[in-house]
Amino acid sequence: MTTTVPAIGTRTAEGSALQAVLLDMDGTLVDTEGFWWDVECEVFAGLGHTLDDSWRHVVVGGPMTRSAGFLIEATGADITLAELTVLLNQGFEDRIDRALPLMPGAARLLGELAAHEIPTALVSASHRRIIDRVLGIVGAQYFALTVAGDEVARTKPHPDPYLFAAAGLGADPARCAVVEDTATGVAAAEAAGCHVVAVPSVAPISPAARRTVVRSLEEVDLAFLRGLLN
């Protein structure tokens, strides 16, 4: 776990029940969910296997161990999980080096949270090497804390990453707003007791108690997030 911006993470959001905002990365802030699937297809094509498009909904949003393990088992490919992880991470890094599009509304939201000094964390199932590469482009200054999938004992859909992020920011999980794009991430945030904004990227997500579904980050601003807790 890496604290990328000192001090501000200990402050609370003045004048609101909202204490912190916790943001997913792939498919939420950066338009990269498709990158992962493209890389998986390319790697397995090189191993002589074609991935079924229906598997995309199985692997999206989960930790590398789960998605890569599923694809090895589903295809019967002759490769170890460790070997496949290296290939997938490298292929993803090559793609983001060429282009890293932000999701619509992401830059505005990050800027607004920073301007109002809202404690903000990036919480991702991606590995640290990937997160740091993305932060170098998006801007590490927007986050008081970042949590990577390979730095917690149990990553999403378990609550551990969000519980760690809330604790690191000195916030009560029940007073945190989480923004996620997949059912896996939503499950993790809800298990941690957070309020969730779902912005579905690949598969639909239904509204539920303590869960608000929107079409785009362009619908989300600080007033909207504060309103979740009122």
Side-chain angles (χ1 to χ4, degrees), residues 23 29 55:
L23 301 163
L29 291 179
W55 296 343

Side-chain angles (χ1 to χ4, degrees), residues 33-120:
E33 288 293 10
F35 285 16
W36 283 112
W37 180 247
D38 290 345
V39 170
E40 288 160 349
C41 288
E42 288 183 6
V43 169
F44 276 90
L47 297 171
H49 299 275
T50 300
L51 300 187
D52 189 311
D53 195 59
S54 65
W55 296 343
R56 183 175 182 177
H57 298 288
V58 179
V59 301
V60 68
M64 179 78 72
T65 51
R66 189 194 75 182
S67 56
F70 169 83
L71 293 174
I72 291 173
E73 182 176 353
T75 61
D78 184 18
I79 190 171
T80 67
L81 182 60
E83 292 169 337
L84 180 57
T85 296
V86 171
L87 293 177
L88 293 177
N89 277 328
Q90 185 59 58
F92 184 81
E93 288 180 30
D94 290 345
R95 269 175 167 69
I96 63 176
D97 283 345
R98 296 197 295 269
L100 184 61
L102 288 176
M103 299 297 289
R108 174 199 48 77
L109 178 59
L110 289 173
E112 183 180 14
L113 294 175
H116 288 83
E117 298 186 338
I118 305 300
T120 303

Side-chain angles (χ1 to χ4, degrees), residues 69-189:
F70 169 83
L71 293 174
I72 291 173
E73 182 176 353
T75 61
D78 184 18
I79 190 171
T80 67
L81 182 60
E83 292 169 337
L84 180 57
T85 296
V86 171
L87 293 177
L88 293 177
N89 277 328
Q90 185 59 58
F92 184 81
E93 288 180 30
D94 290 345
R95 269 175 167 69
I96 63 176
D97 283 345
R98 296 197 295 269
L100 184 61
L102 288 176
M103 299 297 289
R108 174 199 48 77
L109 178 59
L110 289 173
E112 183 180 14
L113 294 175
H116 288 83
E117 298 186 338
I118 305 300
T120 303
L122 184 70
V123 183
S124 176
S126 290
H127 288 187
R128 169 55 56 188
R129 59 183 283 187
I130 297 297
I131 289 180
D132 287 346
R133 200 70 160 262
V134 171
L135 284 172
I137 301 170
V138 173
Q141 72 272 16
Y142 292 114
F143 305 100
L145 181 72
T146 63
V147 181
D150 57 340
E151 295 175 336
V152 289
R154 301 185 307 170
T155 189
K156 304 173 188 180
H158 298 286
D160 305 38
Y162 282 114
L163 291 174
F164 177 84
L169 296 177
D172 179 352
R175 295 178 66 183
C176 292
V178 170
V179 185
E180 273 280 359
D181 72 303
T182 68
T184 299
V186 166

Side-chain angles (χ1 to χ4, degrees), residues 9-10 16 89 140 150 154 172 212 219 221:
T10 62
S16 168
N89 277 328
D150 57 340
R154 301 185 307 170
D172 179 352
T212 302
E219 300 178 38
D221 58 15

